[in-house]
Amino acid sequence: MNFDYPTTVRFRCIKCGICCGDTKEKNRHILLLRREAEQISKATSQPTSKFAVKIEGRAPYRYEMKKTEDGKCMFLGNNRCTIYSVRPLICRFYPFELSSYSGKYRFLYTEECPGINSGQVLGEAYFRRMFRLARAKHRPTTDSSGES
Ligand code: SF4
Ligand code: SF4
């Protein structure tokens, strides 16, 4: 697997909930793949339109999660994710993201997250697992729409 990752960064989630909504500095876009929206819809027995809006021009993402009036993801409850087992990739990755440039993949991270620089160094196995997860999630679907 061909990717670079931050070899010295330490991280431990302190469950502050910052990544689940807007902050003074950031209007957060919680983007969803079509299959993620479908999974959440199934798990919550709600139509996709209840919790997400369709978006254009952000492929491979097809939806953006709706937020409450106070700018939080509508699935955040008591500072916890209420759809944890089907939360989108973007949430699983945070505070990291995978960028690609000239055929090379690289994990970046944001220091917005207060869990950065606490906990342990994550190491290659952690990033390899995330890389595999991203590849599996972005695998093309076999339906005729070609959406993923
Ligand atoms: S901002 Fe960082 S520490 Fe806070 S909940 Fe999100 S991942 Fe965890
Ligand atoms: S889906 Fe869960 S983890 Fe993702 S932003 Fe919403 S509450 Fe947070």
Side-chain angles (χ1 to χ4, degrees), residues 110-125:
T110 172
E111 297 204 5
E112 174 197 38
C113 167
I116 286 287
N117 292 327
S118 59
Q120 298 183 335
V121 171
L122 296 172
E124 186 183 346

Side-chain angles (χ1 to χ4, degrees), residues 5-66:
Y5 64 95
T7 53
T8 56
V9 71
R10 293 180 294 122
F11 169 65
R12 182 175 60 87
C13 179
I14 60 166
K15 300 184 170 42
C16 65
I18 284 177
C19 56
C20 298
D22 298 340
T23 62
K24 266 192 281 180
E25 294 76 27
K26 183 165 180 162
N27 180 23
R28 201 169 305 280
H29 297 282
I30 305 158
L31 304 179
L32 306 168
L33 301 170
R34 189 171 66 98
R35 63 171 56 143
E36 291 178 325
E38 288 170 355
Q39 278 175 343
I40 295 169
S41 172
K42 196 172 167 196
T44 61
S45 304
Q46 297 181 55
T48 304
S49 57
K50 273 270 185 194
F51 59 84
V53 289
K54 273 198 159 182
I55 53 168
E56 303 283 340
R58 301 291 299 265
Y61 300 102
R62 304 292 178 191
Y63 294 90
E64 179 168 347
M65 197 79 96
K66 289 182 178 176

Side-chain angles (χ1 to χ4, degrees), residues 41 83 93 96 99 103 106 112:
S41 172
I83 55 162
F93 264 56
F96 301 95
S99 85
R106 188 175 185 193
E112 174 197 38

Side-chain angles (χ1 to χ4, degrees), residues 7 51 59-60 70 91 102 109 121 127 132 134:
T7 53
F51 59 84
D70 60 355
C91 305
S102 298
Y109 66 93
V121 171
F127 291 101
R132 283 203 185 110

Side-chain angles (χ1 to χ4, degrees), residues 62-94:
R62 304 292 178 191
Y63 294 90
E64 179 168 347
M65 197 79 96
K66 289 182 178 176
K67 288 180 279 190
T68 56
E69 269 181 15
D70 60 355
K72 299 294 179 193
C73 173
M74 55 179 295
F75 291 116
L76 187 68
N78 293 327
N79 245 11
R80 289 186 174 264
C81 179
T82 59
I83 55 162
Y84 192 76
S85 64
V86 289
R87 70 198 188 286
L89 195 64
I90 212 164
C91 305
R92 291 171 198 261
F93 264 56
Y94 189 92

